[in-house]
Amino acid sequence: MVDTKSPLDLVCEQTLSDIRLAGTFKTERVISSAQNPKITVIDPQTGKPKKVLNFCANNYLGLSNHPQVNQGAKSAIESHGFGMSSVRFICGTQDIHKELEAKIAEFHGMQECILYPSAFDANTGFFEAILNDQDAVISDELNHASIIDGIRLCKAKGFRYKHLDMADLEKCLNEAKSCRFIFIVTDGVFSMDGDIAPLPSIVALARKFQAYTFVDECHAAGVLGQTGRGTPEYFNLPPGSIDVISSTLGKALGGGTGGYTVGTKAIIEILRQKGRPYLFSNSIAPPDVGASLEVMRMLQPGSPSLDLLAQLRKNTTHFRTQMKAAGFTILGHHDCPIAPVFLEDARLASEFADEMMRQEDIYVIGFSFPVVPKGRARIRTQISAAHSSEQIERAVKAFVKIGIKKGVIQAAKL
Ligand SMILES: Cc1ncc(COP(=O)(O)O)c(C=O)c1O
């Protein structure tokens, strides 16, 4: 191999050095165990494995390495093989793909479901396939990147309302009211702030302006509501209140890969016919489908596994209450298992997270600009049903120890 650098290499190297200088270069920690509350990571300093408690996975129900879910994947490999080597409409649709789509539609109380390789694809594929330049999309300013990209790809007029601000949403609805169709788009749970979209107010405004609602439930499906049906269930909204829901199989619902959109038969059929990430990307692999079918069985009404949701609520309250009592500012909604520990300063957040890992064996990550606004740095912790109360207490103790050392909280609060 010739070791010369092209002009493109040189520009990339300059960009990388700018990213490093700005302090936003992301390094990836290497995990050598399965995804669990307790994991083994490779210490970057020593190169040796180290056991730590994990408080930064989207493993809300603890299903990422659950024996039943693993067995679902293994059985599907045995019966349906490893991969499909095809998009869905050529030869990538198996009976289990159809079965999973039916189960997910039922889970959300919707007519029909379409699977995608990821929720990112589900969101980028939706708007372009359904809307045109006579339409409008009104989006919460903190919606996920995949929604922002999806809206960019379509010709509809785009409006952005201030985060969770219903007066501003109403203003946008007034501006858009001459459009053929209006979609109000929101995350159900916002992943950086751990807050919950006020769906009852959004639905009321949608009715008033005859608009449609689209909710991304990636951090809410399998998380919120008595039976994990997400934000609509959390607010006790009647079935059919939301027009379109997208979500992922990659977080609470097993943590593998895959995403989906649910809605009416007609909307979903258009996505099958016209959705580019569906038409031009591989079918989701049989083991992911098998594992997800098992998750759907575990979340059936009456299943003992629904206790995991109660455990998640208990663990969330435990962590949030103890952290607040210790004097920390915890952002977001008290029922949300995303519990960001607000620190304001970017360097403090990154050094704090680093010491939690190095000295306390607690794996948490600091988030700062550009992922969150300048001066709003935080450590985002995520609680799982699989955390034991001892593990939660250990994490709180570690936060308190480092928090006192760094002057974030005072010892008297202990
Ligand atoms: C709100 C939201 N939407 C969409 C996605 C994309 O999900 P997936 O990993 O399935 O592409 C994510 C994942 O980070 C998310 O948090």
Side-chain angles (χ1 to χ4, degrees):
M1 206 168 66
V2 193
D3 191 19
T4 53
K5 285 178 186 169
S6 73
L8 179 59
D9 287 328
L10 295 174
V11 168
C12 288
E13 283 183 2
Q14 182 55 50
T15 308
L16 288 169
S17 115
D18 293 346
I19 295 173
R20 280 197 181 89
L21 259 176
T24 54
F25 189 86
K26 291 178 268 318
T27 44
E28 297 171 3
R29 284 199 194 270
V30 178
I31 300 174
S32 59
S33 64
Q35 186 64 281
N36 278 320
K38 196 174 202 171
I39 54 175
T40 307
V41 295
I42 306 299
D43 188 322
Q45 255 108 44
T46 62
K48 291 200 177 118
K50 170 179 159 103
K51 286 204 182 347
V52 297
L53 293 184
N54 189 2
F55 278 84
C56 56
N58 302 305
N59 187 16
Y60 299 112
L61 292 181
L63 299 183
S64 303
N65 184 35
H66 191 285
Q68 251 173 282
V69 179
N70 291 355
Q71 188 52 51
K74 284 182 203 156
S75 306
I77 287 204
E78 273 157 27
S79 57
H80 289 73
F82 167 66
M84 289 309 298
S85 304
S86 171
V87 298
R88 287 286 297 273
F89 82 94
I90 299 180
C91 56
T93 300
Q94 291 173 321
D95 50 356
I96 52 173
H97 291 93
K98 299 308 284 179
E99 191 185 341
L100 180 59
E101 284 174 335
K103 287 282 184 291
I104 293 173
E106 191 187 315
F107 178 79
H108 286 286
M110 303 288 245
Q111 287 177 9
E112 200 77 54
C113 169
I114 178 173
L115 287 170
Y116 289 87
S118 71
F120 204 103
D121 287 333
N123 286 345
T124 49
F126 179 79
F127 303 97
E128 190 209 11
I130 299 291
L131 303 177
N132 69 27
D133 57 5
Q134 300 169 56
D135 304 320
V137 188
I138 308 180
S139 172
D140 186 293
E141 65 181 350
L142 292 193
N143 278 341
H144 190 258
S146 52
I147 292 178
I148 295 168
D149 288 2
I151 295 171
R152 275 193 197 135
L153 287 170
C154 89
K155 295 203 168 69
K157 287 181 197 66
F159 296 83
R160 262 194 331 172
Y161 64 95
K162 292 197 196 94
H163 183 49
L164 308 182
D165 185 333
M166 294 299 100
D168 202 33
L169 170 58
E170 182 154 14
K171 199 166 135 239
C172 295
L173 282 160
N174 265 311
E175 283 172 38
K177 71 180 173 202
S178 60
C179 292
R180 183 186 63 155
F181 299 125
I182 305 173
F183 260 87
I184 304 172
V185 184
T186 183
D187 287 6
V189 166
F190 290 84
S191 61
M192 284 301 140
D193 290 293
D195 44 21
I196 302 177
L199 283 197
S201 309
I202 291 176
V203 168
L205 281 173
R207 295 244 164 84
K208 181 169 167 192
F209 286 85
Q210 293 176 353
Y212 292 83
T213 45
F214 178 111
V215 184
D216 175 327
E217 288 281 87
C218 282
H219 290 275
V223 178
L224 290 187
Q226 280 304 112
T227 65
R229 268 58 179 169
T231 322
E233 185 187 24
Y234 177 80
F235 286 114
N236 290 317
L237 291 178
S241 299
I242 304 299
D243 299 293
V244 179
I245 288 173
S246 69
S247 192
T248 184
L249 300 170
K251 301 189 196 291
L253 304 179
T257 51
Y260 59 85
T261 306
V262 288
T264 61
K265 278 187 193 308
I267 290 176
I268 300 305
E269 192 53 46
I270 288 290
L271 296 175
R272 276 193 216 287
Q273 299 302 319
K274 292 177 58 180
R276 292 167 72 83
Y278 183 80
L279 290 173
F280 300 112
S281 191
N282 206 22
S283 176
I284 88 169
D288 276 294
V289 177
S292 303
L293 275 168
E294 194 53 45
V295 172
M296 287 294 127
R297 278 191 275 278
M298 292 171 80
L299 297 179
Q300 278 299 302
S303 157
S305 303
L306 289 178
D307 290 351
L308 291 172
L309 283 148
Q311 189 60 46
L312 177 61
R313 285 192 289 275
K314 201 170 143 207
N315 288 355
T316 298
T317 308
H318 185 176
F319 181 79
R320 281 180 166 274
T321 313
Q322 290 217 353
M323 287 291 283
K324 279 186 185 164
F328 287 103
T329 303
I330 307 298
L331 303 178
H333 196 289
H334 57 89
D335 287 334
C336 188
I338 298 170
V341 182
F342 184 65
L343 295 169
E344 199 174 325
D345 181 68
R347 188 171 296 278
L348 172 64
S350 108
E351 286 175 5
F352 199 129
D354 216 50
E355 286 182 36
M356 289 287 283
M357 182 72 154
R358 264 190 295 113
Q359 295 165 21
E360 303 298 322
D361 296 341
I362 306 285
Y363 188 0
V364 285
I365 295 280
F367 286 87
S368 53
F369 184 78
V371 182
V372 295
K374 276 196 176 125
R376 303 277 305 159
R378 78 245 0 222
I379 289 177
R380 183 181 72 171
T381 58
Q382 289 171 287
I383 306 302
S384 168
H387 285 129
S388 66
S389 53
E390 292 73 36
Q391 288 172 334
I392 290 176
E393 262 150 41
R394 230 188 89 195
V396 173
K397 271 199 188 122
F399 266 109
V400 168
K401 193 167 156 196
I402 308 285
I404 292 171
K405 194 171 130 200
K406 297 208 157 290
V408 176
I409 56 165
Q410 288 159 13
K413 288 267 184 187
L414 260 175

